[in-house]
Amino acid sequence: MNAKMKKRMIAVSGVIIIVLILVLAFVGGNTAATTMSIAEAAENPQAGQKVQVSGNVVQDSFSTSNDVLTFKIYDPEGDPATQLEVRYDGAASSTFGNDVTAICTGKINDAGVLECSELVTKCPSKYENADSALTVEQLLGYGESVYGKIVKVAGSVGAGSLKAAGQGDRFILVDTEAGDSVPVVFEGALSDEVAEGSTVVLTGSLGDDGKFAATDVALEG
């Protein structure tokens, strides 16, 4: 290969490298999400730009239709009246529920709705002593006399029963020794440490429908 050819090859290689660098920079710039507050997203939605917005799920604002989850989030340290609607086409984790912290990444459409492509939920772990709690067997043994009364009950989360809020019964509480079980209704946030087989302590009441309506779910501690 003569010197002229070598120079040409070096020049071509240099152009290719520069083009690759520009392409990577362009792609990287378009995939990076801009972090925004809920107020910023509500006031200046910047439709089409990829953003990441964090907030707490507004009480009972969520619903699921055709496998699409919609909900609203607010800033717990800001104006609770300033809210952002989120649409998520995907399966929410079992931690999703009222007031859970939701980290939403996606693009805001022309209607001001965040079309979320990535959803991460976080909730602090809570622990409760089970010494004064009933077992599931004891709870069911009281029958109608305990309907509507606030009690504590402890048991394990049944295998394959754990769901996100808004998808029916949240989980099945199982008495591993006696074999008794009761479906649990709970729309609040769950810690990601609550998993199938976890021992939990619930506060709430048993209804005449045979379901336990929980107001609080904590890990046994």
Side-chain angles (χ1 to χ4, degrees):
M1 184 182 294
N2 57 38
K4 187 176 181 180
M5 184 63 71
K6 286 183 178 179
K7 288 181 180 179
R8 183 177 296 174
M9 290 293 293
I10 292 171
V12 170
S13 299
V15 171
I16 292 174
I17 291 171
I18 291 171
V19 170
L20 287 174
I21 291 172
L22 291 173
V23 169
L24 291 172
F26 178 81
V27 172
N30 280 306
T31 55
T34 301
T35 301
M36 302 180 72
S37 67
I38 292 174
E40 289 171 334
E43 295 170 3
N44 182 24
Q46 301 184 44
Q49 179 183 343
K50 190 173 183 180
V51 299
Q52 185 176 89
V53 186
S54 300
N56 287 21
V57 175
V58 175
Q59 184 90 8
D60 299 330
S61 67
F62 51 85
S63 64
T64 302
S65 178
N66 297 323
D67 296 324
V68 176
L69 172 67
T70 58
F71 58 96
K72 294 180 180 180
I73 56 176
Y74 73 98
D75 184 350
E77 297 181 359
D79 181 1
T82 302
Q83 301 175 357
L84 179 67
E85 186 172 351
V86 181
R87 183 181 186 276
Y88 178 61
D89 186 1
S93 72
S94 59
T95 59
F96 183 86
N98 284 328
D99 218 36
V100 69
T101 299
I103 304 171
C104 311
T105 304
K107 296 181 179 180
I108 299 176
N109 64 25
D110 292 334
V113 177
L114 177 56
E115 297 283 355
C116 182
S117 56
E118 300 171 43
L119 174 62
V120 178
T121 53
K122 292 184 178 181
C123 179
S125 298
K126 291 189 291 185
Y127 296 89
E128 185 75 25
N129 193 305
D131 290 347
S132 60
L134 301 172
T135 64
V136 177
E137 181 184 33
Q138 291 171 329
L139 174 72
L140 298 179
Y142 280 112
E144 295 182 5
S145 64
V146 78
Y147 286 175
K149 295 182 179 179
I150 301 298
V151 296
K152 284 186 179 180
V153 59
S156 297
V157 177
S161 68
L162 192 58
K163 300 176 184 176
Q167 297 182 2
D169 298 337
R170 196 63 176 275
F171 57 87
I172 303 296
L173 188 68
V174 179
D175 187 326
T176 54
E177 293 187 4
D180 294 291
S181 63
V182 61
V184 176
V185 179
F186 182 63
E187 301 296 342
L190 288 178
S191 162
D192 56 11
E193 289 188 47
V194 175
E196 296 175 8
S198 296
T199 302
V200 291
V201 180
L202 314 183
T203 301
S205 60
L206 184 67
D208 57 11
D209 58 357
K211 298 182 179 184
F212 189 85
T215 56
D216 187 68
V217 177
L219 291 159
E220 182 181 357

